[in-house]
Amino acid sequence: EYNTEESEETDAVMDTENKEVTFLFYRTLWSIQDYFRNPNQISNDTNWKKMEDTVNEICRIFKNYKREGSCQVSNEAYFAKFLTSERLLTLQISDSNFRRHILVQILTLFQYLTAGVKFKPNKLVLSEPRKSWIRDTTSKIYSVLSETPPDGQSFVKHVKCILKYEEKWSKWKNEGCPSLAKLPDKTVGIKQKNLKRNVKVMDLTSEKFDMGNQTLTDLWNICPDNLAACQDSNRKFTPETYKFFEEAIEQLEPDSGVEKEYYLTNETAFMWRSLRLLARQSVPYFQHIQNTKNLTLTDNLQNIITLIGKEYKKENDMEVAS
């Protein structure tokens, strides 16, 4: 059932808020842009009073005219400028981006007024009451920003961080932009020379050697005799010549049915491994390559593989006959 009383209360609140957003506030809101453009004019007492009243009114309206609920902000880039039509003012006050745009500019103006800027006119020196007003108003602005959805608290945190970096940058500019490179500390080198280097001497009489790292220590102490470990038959990874070329020998048989383009001898990696193996175990076969210099390396390798196959078959037949 529709709640008539609650609807009337909501309408009454909206009417009250809309009454505060008058043409006078419209002129007040957009007049603040003149101080953003030229903050040095605030050195005049009259202009300072106008600026103070303008900021107070903006904070009051933004505080009373609260944004309710949550809104989703698109990640897409948007144009930072806003239309200045009076009829859009009520909608703009309800826009989180618009509120943040105005309030962050006020915070930037306050930082310029309070920071020690080198080219700021001497007249723009704030008295203690004015500094106190800026501190109080800054707290109010942060309060309004934290209550502005979405993620008000997070937005305030990022704004404070950015203004802090801006303050450091202004200080660096005021100091004449000194180099940020860190000079080497000469005392460090002197201290290092005086340090005694503690070298851990390996105990050669111990059966187990400490290599300074647990993994290296375990690997080093797998076998007490390193030379015997290197000569172990299990560490011989070189294959037998015939077993390595067995598939290639079958491919080179006339009745194998394998087309030449699919021969193993066409593969660069196989050719390289074959030559490595022949150099280790069958050096005399290289004499065959020298006698057939006009052939390509692939053709020479195929001839050698065919010759290996014939020799193995001949040896096999002789063993069977005996």
Side-chain angles (χ1 to χ4, degrees):
E1 185 178 355
Y2 183 71
N3 193 336
T4 308
E5 294 181 0
E6 183 178 349
S7 175
E8 290 177 354
E9 290 179 5
T10 304
D11 292 341
V13 172
M14 292 179 63
D15 289 342
T16 303
E17 289 178 342
N18 290 334
K19 287 179 181 178
E20 291 184 345
V21 184
T22 61
F23 177 74
L24 179 61
F25 177 70
Y26 165 76
R27 294 186 60 182
T28 301
L29 177 66
W30 289 112
S31 66
I32 194 70
Q33 296 291 330
D34 190 42
Y35 301 113
F36 296 156
R37 178 184 58 82
N38 182 19
N40 292 333
Q41 63 179 307
I42 303 176
S43 59
N44 183 284
D45 291 340
T46 303
N47 290 336
W48 174 271
K49 181 60 177 174
K50 289 182 181 179
M51 185 274 296
E52 189 174 314
D53 294 340
T54 300
V55 173
N56 287 335
E57 182 67 9
I58 292 172
C59 291
R60 186 185 70 81
I61 296 295
F62 280 13
K63 184 73 174 178
N64 295 336
Y65 202 92
K66 291 185 178 180
R67 284 294 324 274
E68 295 183 358
S70 60
C71 65
Q72 296 181 354
V73 178
S74 174
N75 292 328
E76 298 180 0
Y78 66 92
F79 195 55
K81 292 186 177 181
F82 294 92
L83 299 174
T84 57
S85 173
E86 180 188 355
R87 291 177 295 178
L88 296 174
L89 185 59
T90 305
L91 295 175
Q92 288 174 331
I93 292 177
S94 301
D95 182 16
S96 298
N97 287 328
F98 181 81
R99 284 170 168 253
R100 290 171 173 176
H101 185 79
I102 298 296
L103 294 176
V104 170
Q105 285 189 92
I106 295 175
L107 291 175
T108 307
L109 173 64
F110 285 174
Q111 179 153 301
Y112 172 79
L113 294 175
T114 55
V117 181
K118 187 175 182 179
F119 301 102
K120 191 165 60 175
N122 296 329
K123 295 181 180 179
L124 205 56
V125 177
L126 301 181
S127 61
E128 190 57 38
R130 291 182 178 181
K131 290 180 180 179
S132 177
W133 175 82
I134 287 179
R135 287 193 294 268
D136 295 340
T137 308
T138 300
S139 300
K140 293 179 183 178
I141 291 174
Y142 280 133
S143 176
V144 174
L145 287 173
S146 63
E147 295 172 359
T148 302
D151 301 325
Q153 295 288 348
S154 178
F155 181 79
V156 168
K157 181 180 177 181
H158 285 87
V159 169
K160 288 182 178 180
C161 182
I162 292 171
L163 292 177
K164 191 68 178 178
Y165 282 126
E166 178 69 17
E167 183 180 356
K168 292 181 179 179
W169 183 84
S170 297
K171 182 180 179 182
W172 176 71
K173 293 286 287 185
N174 292 337
E175 294 174 354
C177 307
S179 175
L180 299 177
K182 293 184 178 180
L183 297 176
D185 190 357
K186 296 181 179 180
T187 60
V188 174
I190 299 173
K191 291 179 180 179
Q192 289 180 348
K193 289 181 180 179
N194 297 330
L195 291 175
K196 293 183 179 180
R197 185 180 178 187
N198 296 323
V199 180
K200 187 176 182 180
V201 180
M202 183 180 292
D203 185 8
L204 299 177
T205 60
S206 175
E207 294 182 357
K208 186 175 181 179
F209 294 105
D210 185 5
M211 304 302 295
N213 179 283
Q214 186 60 39
T215 304
L216 290 176
T217 301
D218 294 340
L219 288 173
W220 186 269
N221 293 281
I222 289 175
C223 182
D225 189 350
N226 292 325
L227 182 59
C230 293
Q231 294 174 344
D232 190 357
S233 58
N234 294 328
R235 294 186 59 81
K236 294 181 180 179
F237 304 112
T238 305
E240 295 181 8
T241 305
Y242 178 78
K243 288 185 178 180
F244 180 80
F245 290 115
E246 187 174 5
E247 184 179 355
I249 292 171
E250 293 177 358
Q251 290 180 351
L252 294 174
E253 292 288 342
D255 56 348
S256 64
V258 180
E259 298 179 6
K260 290 184 178 181
E261 58 180 321
Y262 299 112
Y263 283 174
L264 285 174
T265 51
N266 293 328
E267 297 179 6
T268 307
F270 178 80
M271 190 183 306
W272 181 81
R273 290 197 297 269
S274 301
L275 295 174
R276 290 268 298 176
L277 180 62
L278 292 173
R280 283 176 174 269
Q281 295 189 352
S282 306
V283 178
Y285 287 113
F286 279 93
Q287 185 68 29
H288 181 79
I289 296 178
Q290 293 179 3
N291 295 335
T292 54
K293 292 182 179 179
N294 296 329
L295 295 177
T296 62
L297 188 58
T298 303
D299 293 336
N300 274 313
L301 183 58
Q302 289 177 0
N303 292 338
I304 293 174
I305 293 173
T306 304
L307 183 60
I308 292 173
K310 290 179 180 180
E311 290 181 354
Y312 181 79
K313 186 176 181 182
K314 185 178 179 180
E315 291 176 2
N316 230 8
D317 293 341
M318 290 177 63
E319 288 179 3
V320 172
S322 60

